[in-house]
Amino acid sequence: MTAPGGEEADVAQGSRGPLTTVLTANAISITGNSLTLIGVPWFALDTTGSPGKAGVVAFCAALPVLLSTLAGGPLIDRLGRRRVSIASDLVCGLALAAIPLLHRFGVLEFWMLCALMAVTGLCHAPGEMARHVLVPDLAQRAGIALPRVASLYDAVARGARMAGAVLAGLLVAFMGADTVLFLDAATFGLSALLVAAGLRGVPSAEPMRDGPRLSPARYRADLREGYAFLFRSRLLLGIMVMVMVTNGLNQSWSSVLLPVHARAELDGPAAQGLLVAVFGGCALAGALLYGAVGERFPRRAVFAAGFLVGGAPPYLVAAFTDTTAPLLVTMAAAGFGVGVLNPILTTVMYEQVPDALRSRVMGASTAGVLLTTPLGGLAAGFLVERVGLTATLLGIGALYFVATLAPVVFPAWRGMDVTVSTGIPGGGRTITGPTGSRPTTAGPTAAGQTGSKPTTAA
């Protein structure tokens, strides 16, 4: 592949600059995500006073994410990952900045809030996917083993969520939710600038020029290849179904249940920020620990234990307590459990999917795990209004527990412990594919109870 203008990109093998750029841009963007995930629900609750309407806003933000991931995989390679990442961040920043601006001028209607959140949902997923699919190539350039890069990628994300949650809780409590949205818009702009400067000349970040032209028939064929591979693999299909269920439940927690619980029983947005920050800090520790010693242990056993600890307990404890301390301890334990999940899932997907198909399989799997996300916040908002917060927490916690039993019950999950070489540091052979394809990444990743953006899963 050649860079624009026909010249070979001059990015030296062994350079860690592009990987550092992606990690930094992702950290800044995810810090902004945490601001949004705390600021927008509180903004909706403050301006409407209705958990149901807060759920509608969450639905409007989540549904476009599903639509963009459902069909966006083949386009990212053709348009160029660098370009997609930059354009995505700029559009999201403008849409988020418009919300508090319109509100301050007194012209923001509820439908406008929903529409602007829909724009951010439609655009942010392709940008995150564009950065994510660069990781194996950048790991190879940096000469770092893939499992360690996967753990580092997740650890950086966890740390950014922790910092963003603390900042968001304090800003909402002392300066208002609209200030949080302004700051979030600025983080998207900074992320765009970093990617524009730091990934210039990286061949895998530029548009794919040596493959067949993207006609409607070629586009449909690319989509079919991704979905066909996913549905042929029982392990990957099982991961997708499990994460699809837990994603919807996580969305109910982050967009409705935790904000409503914090508002009704705890100390408001500051308590919510503290809980999310502690969760994120412990998840960061879990990811770093797994990166250091995790390869010594069976993946399936570690994954199952992490999900059982990190899944249902926060819902159940929140249902029975009206103080912060018990839930804080639970969130700390849950965060540590969830911290091991992303490195395992990411490594399994990198190993299981041939290089040439990863962009398409990632689009298919991401779309699958997001199927329930639009309904999570919507259903939780209306359930809280009809049956109450406690009953909703108990019901969703029970569903979460059942879902996390899948790795223990179904034999296909034993494939997690079967290593397939990838041609990237830490692997062996390279699997090639159709002409014009290039190495990319794939796979759902587990987010847990942080309320992270629904491009990730739990």
Side-chain angles (χ1 to χ4, degrees), residues 103-181:
H103 179 63
R104 290 188 178 186
F105 283 110
V107 295
L108 182 67
E109 302 288 343
F110 181 68
W111 69 266
M112 295 179 186
L113 174 60
C114 293
L116 289 168
M117 289 307 298
V119 170
T120 65
L122 184 67
C123 294
H124 85 247
E128 289 191 355
M129 190 185 300
R131 291 188 294 271
H132 191 195
V133 297
L134 285 167
V135 170
D137 177 73
L138 301 185
Q140 188 171 22
R141 287 180 175 279
I144 304 175
L146 182 57
R148 294 191 179 277
V149 173
S151 296
L152 179 61
Y153 190 89
D154 185 57
V156 169
R158 298 292 184 186
R161 290 191 190 104
M162 176 180 63
V166 173
L167 184 60
L170 294 174
L171 287 174
V172 171
F174 295 107
M175 301 181 68
D178 55 349
T179 302
V180 173
L181 298 184

Side-chain angles (χ1 to χ4, degrees), residues 352-376:
Q352 295 284 330
V353 183
D355 293 347
L357 293 178
R358 284 186 181 139
S359 186
R360 281 161 271 176
V361 175
M362 180 179 184
S365 62
T366 303
V369 301
L370 294 177
L371 281 173
T372 59
T373 302
L375 300 176

Side-chain angles (χ1 to χ4, degrees), residues 241-243 245-246 249-250 300-301 303-313 315 338 341 396-410 413 449 458:
V241 172
M242 177 182 178
V243 177
V245 173
T246 58
L249 303 180
N250 282 332
R300 184 171 71 125
F303 183 86
F307 237 137
L308 285 170
V309 172
Y315 296 88
V338 165
L341 303 182
I396 293 179
L399 286 175
Y400 213 127
F401 175 74
V402 173
T404 53
L405 293 177
V408 179
V409 173
F410 296 107
W413 288 79
Q449 308 297 343

Side-chain angles (χ1 to χ4, degrees), residues 441-453:
T441 70
T445 52
Q449 308 297 343
T450 64
S452 54
K453 271 187 180 181

Side-chain angles (χ1 to χ4, degrees), residues 162 277-287 331-337 339:
M162 176 180 63
V278 167
F279 180 97
C282 292
L284 169 61
M331 291 289 279
F336 191 83

